[in-house]
Amino acid sequence: MAKTFINIKGKASWARLVTPNQWDAWAITVHPDTESLEMIRDLQAQGLKNTLKKDEEGYFVQFRRPINKMIRGKVVAFTPPEVIDADNKPMDGKTVGNGSDVTVRLEVYEHGTPGGGKAKAARLEAVRVDYLIPFNPESDFTDDEKAKIGDLKDAPKPVWD
């Protein structure tokens, strides 16, 4: 099966589109709208392994893009996902805060499984931020990220003559 591309719409959270996460992948969690949720369920029926989970805001799913991956015995490097604003202009993915409305472009492809079967995978390709809610360090950083930053925000700024 050839690669295909689909677009999923929803609310973003935990967007790591510039700096990879602790698993060496760029990633975004999406609470899909109704139409996108059905698309994800259809793909799951065809073998997609991305797991839908549910919280107080509804269903959500994470999509990722690895820094590199072993494909047919060779290490293939990936570039970060492209991030654009509602006007299709490049933007800094670090500014995407929780609750932003996004359209996520996914590459959907079929691959073999260790048991000889077939499964589908969806790789994060790009994100369009349809409505930006700016990144808020107080709520959008993970505990590990907050620990790394520590008290830097309170450190005095240098005074240059």
Side-chain angles (χ1 to χ4, degrees):
M1 178 186 164
K3 309 181 227 191
T4 58
F5 295 91
I6 63 167
N7 297 326
I8 301 293
K9 294 182 179 186
K11 299 277 186 190
S13 62
W14 209 77
R16 299 299 181 262
L17 304 171
V18 176
T19 304
N21 62 20
Q22 64 266 41
W23 297 284
D24 290 333
W26 299 283
I28 189 168
T29 299
V30 179
H31 283 79
D33 65 12
T34 305
E35 182 180 327
S36 296
L37 180 60
E38 289 306 314
M39 290 170 62
I40 293 166
R41 286 186 171 144
D42 287 345
L43 287 170
Q44 286 179 323
Q46 297 172 38
L48 182 71
K49 299 300 181 196
N50 296 63
T51 305
L52 276 170
K53 297 179 183 176
K54 195 171 185 181
D55 63 13
E56 62 277 350
E57 296 174 27
Y59 288 99
F60 67 93
V61 61
Q62 185 181 74
F63 297 104
R64 16 183 341 259
R65 181 178 183 83
I67 293 174
N68 55 51
K69 183 176 183 179
M70 183 72 72
I71 299 176
R72 295 185 189 115
K74 293 184 180 179
V75 176
V76 176
F78 291 96
T79 58
E82 296 295 324
V83 182
I84 59 174
D85 66 15
D87 296 324
N88 297 324
K89 294 179 183 164
M91 68 175 287
D92 183 355
K94 285 188 175 189
T95 63
V96 179
N98 294 343
S100 295
D101 290 328
V102 296
T103 301
V104 177
R105 183 170 175 82
L106 302 171
E107 175 188 356
V108 178
Y109 60 96
E110 195 171 82
H111 64 89
T113 63
K118 295 284 183 186
K120 283 202 174 185
R123 181 180 303 126
L124 174 62
E125 280 289 309
V127 175
R128 183 182 70 208
V129 180
D130 299 311
Y131 179 78
L132 177 66
I133 294 180
F135 187 87
N136 178 353
E138 298 300 321
S139 61
D140 295 346
F141 272 138
T142 65
D143 290 340
D144 286 344
E145 290 167 329
K146 286 178 186 175
K148 285 179 186 175
I149 293 167
D151 62 355
L152 278 176
K153 68 177 181 151
D154 300 323
K157 295 195 176 18
V159 179
W160 306 106
D161 295 78

